[in-house]
Amino acid sequence: GDWSSDVCSSDLGTASRLEAQVTLPPAPPTDEVAELPPPIDVSPGGAFLRAALIPGWGHASIGSYTRGGFYFAAQTATVYTLLRARTRIGTAQDRVRLTEQVILAELASSGVTDPEAIQDALDGDGRLNGVRRLLEARQEQQEDLVALGIFLILLSAADAYVSAHLARFPDPLDLETSVAPNGGIDVGFRVALPN
């Protein structure tokens, strides 16, 4: 009785040690790669409209995520800069009004009441002309940013349109190589033509 219980306990200990030493083989490599979901089948006109409405949407809908990200970033930066320019225009307008009030107060304290003399004094004042030039420069910057924004929208939409057309074409060239029976290498080309 004692001998059989010792054998069983030693066998169990050996089995548990053997189980601990067994390692599982590594999983075989798979050819599957985690991919993004396939892009929606969008017509070139649809890609154009999407890119014109929301920056990067037209490119993302055809699977061109990098280009979509570029246009989204470029148009976002342009809108942000445009909003900053509008804030600066408001500040410059406030400075023009304040400078005019200071000059008018100086003229009133000097006893100048003639409207033509007041206008001549305003036009000839260097302080007022400086802030007026600043306001004009900021307004021109705003116009440039609006033009840049429109250009980026049209460029993005046109690029999405062309990219959607090109996405429908098959790979233009397929290179095939094989070892010839004489030990050389055979090289072949296949050209796929669109339907």
Side-chain angles (χ1 to χ4, degrees):
D2 293 337
W3 180 78
S4 63
S5 65
D6 289 342
V7 170
C8 288
S9 64
S10 70
D11 287 344
L12 288 174
T14 305
S16 64
R17 281 193 303 257
L18 287 176
E19 287 176 7
Q21 293 175 358
V22 172
T23 57
L24 296 174
T30 61
D31 292 336
E32 296 179 14
V33 177
E35 295 181 5
L36 295 170
I40 303 169
D41 188 22
V42 177
S43 69
F48 180 92
L49 289 177
R50 290 175 188 215
L53 291 175
I54 299 175
W57 186 23
H59 292 88
S61 65
I62 59 172
S64 185
Y65 300 105
T66 304
R67 281 184 167 183
F70 167 77
Y71 285 112
F72 180 81
Q75 291 180 26
T76 302
T78 303
V79 169
Y80 173 75
T81 309
L82 178 61
L83 293 176
R84 292 278 312 261
R86 289 186 58 81
T87 302
R88 291 179 176 170
I89 287 172
T91 304
Q93 287 172 338
D94 292 342
R95 289 179 66 182
V96 168
R97 280 193 294 270
L98 179 63
T99 306
E100 285 178 351
Q101 290 173 0
V102 168
I103 295 169
L104 290 174
E106 290 174 354
L107 291 173
S109 66
S110 300
V112 179
T113 56
D114 182 36
E116 290 183 11
I118 291 173
Q119 189 61 47
D120 290 341
L122 288 173
D123 292 340
D125 191 278
R127 296 168 296 174
L128 183 58
N129 288 333
V131 290
R132 282 178 175 170
R133 283 194 298 270
L134 176 65
L135 176 60
E136 289 172 3
R138 290 185 176 170
Q139 288 171 337
E140 289 175 3
Q141 181 185 22
Q142 177 182 345
E143 292 171 3
D144 293 343
L145 288 168
V146 169
L148 176 62
I150 293 170
F151 171 75
L152 284 174
I153 289 171
L154 294 176
L155 179 65
S156 171
D159 188 36
Y161 181 84
V162 172
S163 295
H165 267 299
L166 295 178
R168 297 170 182 267
F169 280 91
D171 292 335
L173 188 63
D174 189 19
L175 175 66
E176 296 179 351
T177 60
S178 62
V179 178
N182 62 1
I185 297 177
D186 289 336
V187 178
F189 296 97
R190 275 195 307 182
V191 178
L193 298 175
N195 293 334

